[in-house]
Amino acid sequence: MAVYNGFKYPQFPSHLPPLDILSERLISPRIPFMQIRRLRHVNGQYGILGQIINVPVDVDTMIKSLPRNVDDAYCINVHIKRKQIHKSSYLQGIINKRTIKTWLQFLLATPLYTMYEIKMDQSFFDNNSISTEIPLEDISEHIPIEESLTAQQHTLSWDEEQYLCIAPGEQNVPRSLLFDEHAEELSFPSIYLGEFRRFREGIKATPFMMASSELRRSDRRAVTPHHLLYVAMKIMRLRVRDSLTIAFKHVGKNTTVTRQQIEDEHYINNCIETNLSFLRSIPNSTWYWSNRKKDLFAMIRQLGKPTIF
């Protein structure tokens, strides 16, 4: 029934190679900057710090920063930063040009990339060289395999101090996840493959319904820490927005609020406590820590003062 209603992924083409998170960011029109950390003393669990900064980027500009005269079989050490002046990198790792080319050739023909007019310079696919070429001897070395073999192979000389540093979203204005309609599909092309989410006519799919469906599907392509935490933060923002729209509608039609009531601190605190109580379930909010403080004081009253032993 779920598949009939449209809760399914597009079929994954067999010719596409596996895509890592760094390569995915280079071919995605949206970069969600978020800090994901492994939780201490817990195996296999991750947490997110702060908010998600959704930044639109130009895929063609990012790809043009890759060296053209390097063969597709070579790997490139790439660091993605929010700003060039930052010492730390948002993502870093090794990418393969052949993987980038294969995915871009597929995605540029998809409906989502066509709608947003995402195009690439054809010279990137034609292996045209540029004027400032990198000498091959500076990045590779000849290593003889065996004396009985006449073949040789090129291997990249690895140097962590030399890498390609790019900041594709430095000059771009971030967009809110609430108003960017296809931010999730554009941020994770390895999951949605450049396709829109289409549901059967008459089905009103909410973000929570879509997230619940993706968690339960047999296709586990979306069950990754980056995507799960992204969806969790998105749903939390949507719930806060929906709750704020009705937060201060507690006054009835025939109820009047006098100036004396507005000047009364107890009345204002009561209104805030009543209408913004939904924020108690939002971590790190004022009402969340206020509720935790009350629980702590209650434990002290019942169990006594905390001791070391």
Side-chain angles (χ1 to χ4, degrees):
M1 181 61 69
V3 175
Y4 175 73
N5 290 331
F7 292 92
K8 61 180 180 179
Y9 295 123
Q11 187 175 2
F12 196 92
S14 58
H15 70 280
L16 291 179
L19 194 66
D20 59 277
I21 184 63
L22 180 60
S23 300
E24 186 177 28
R25 290 292 161 261
L26 291 177
I27 63 176
S28 58
R30 299 288 187 274
I31 295 185
F33 289 99
M34 48 186 175
Q35 298 184 23
I36 296 180
R37 298 289 185 268
R38 182 188 294 272
L39 300 181
R40 294 183 177 180
H41 310 295
V42 181
N43 295 326
Q45 295 190 11
Y46 296 83
I48 185 171
L49 300 177
Q51 299 295 327
I52 297 177
I53 309 299
N54 180 44
V55 181
V57 296
D58 188 0
V59 178
D60 191 20
T61 303
M62 287 192 296
I63 297 302
K64 283 182 178 179
S65 61
L66 300 178
R68 302 294 183 87
N69 63 312
V70 177
D71 191 80
D72 292 349
Y74 284 86
C75 295
I76 307 171
N77 188 15
V78 179
H79 287 218
I80 298 180
K81 298 184 178 182
R82 292 188 61 182
K83 292 185 178 181
Q84 288 284 1
I85 61 175
H86 290 175
K87 294 184 179 180
S88 60
S89 300
Y90 167 62
L91 286 175
Q92 60 183 10
I94 305 174
I95 65 168
N96 184 270
K97 286 186 63 177
R98 181 179 288 113
T99 302
I100 300 295
K101 285 186 177 182
T102 305
W103 272 91
L104 281 177
Q105 288 175 344
F106 170 77
L107 290 173
L108 291 178
T110 56
L112 191 62
Y113 277 56
T114 303
M115 173 184 171
Y116 282 87
E117 298 181 353
I118 301 172
K119 301 178 181 179
M120 281 293 304
D121 190 355
Q122 190 62 30
S123 61
F124 176 73
F125 302 103
D126 296 338
N127 288 326
N128 291 343
S129 60
I130 56 178
S131 57
T132 58
E133 293 187 353
I134 303 175
L136 192 60
E137 292 76 9
D138 294 346
I139 61 174
S140 65
E141 58 181 346
H142 291 280
I143 300 178
I145 301 177
E146 289 181 2
E147 295 181 358
S148 59
L149 299 178
T150 59
Q152 290 182 340
Q153 64 178 356
H154 285 282
T155 59
L156 283 177
S157 57
W158 180 254
D159 188 358
E160 294 185 355
E161 299 298 330
Q162 297 181 0
Y163 53 85
L164 176 62
C165 179
I166 59 176
E170 185 173 7
Q171 303 296 333
N172 299 341
V173 179
R175 295 183 183 178
S176 174
L177 294 177
L178 304 178
F179 305 105
D180 199 350
E181 183 179 1
H182 302 104
E184 187 174 350
E185 292 87 338
L186 294 173
S187 299
F188 299 94
S190 62
I191 299 176
Y192 303 101
L193 303 177
E195 299 287 342
F196 295 98
R197 293 176 176 176
R198 295 184 176 90
F199 303 97
R200 189 168 61 89
E201 185 178 357
I203 300 297
K204 186 178 180 181
T206 63
F208 184 78
M209 292 173 57
M210 291 184 286
S212 301
S213 173
E214 292 179 356
L215 288 174
R216 300 169 182 171
R217 295 177 190 176
S218 58
D219 190 348
R220 312 301 291 172
R221 70 176 75 173
V223 188
T224 61
H226 286 81
H227 183 251
L228 291 179
L229 294 174
Y230 178 95
V231 173
M233 294 297 293
K234 178 182 177 181
I235 292 178
M236 185 181 68
R237 287 191 180 187
L238 291 172
R239 287 183 172 178
V240 171
R241 182 200 63 181
D242 296 339
S243 300
L244 285 175
T245 56
I246 57 174
F248 292 97
K249 293 183 179 180
H250 66 286
V251 180
K253 294 183 179 179
N254 299 326
T255 304
T256 57
V257 180
T258 62
R259 177 180 177 181
Q260 184 178 3
Q261 290 176 325
I262 295 178
E263 293 177 349
D264 186 5
E265 183 178 358
H266 178 72
Y267 176 80
I268 296 298
N269 292 335
N270 186 37
C271 291
I272 295 176
E273 183 71 20
T274 303
N275 295 284
L276 298 182
S277 59
F278 68 92
L279 290 175
R280 292 177 180 175
S281 60
I282 305 300
N284 293 329
S285 64
T286 304
W287 290 264
Y288 174 85
W289 289 115
S290 177
N291 200 26
R292 298 284 80 79
K293 184 179 69 173
K294 294 178 181 178
D295 294 341
L296 176 61
F297 288 166
M299 293 177 60
I300 294 176
R301 287 193 298 267
Q302 294 181 5
L303 304 177
K305 297 181 180 180
T307 58
I308 299 178
F309 301 101

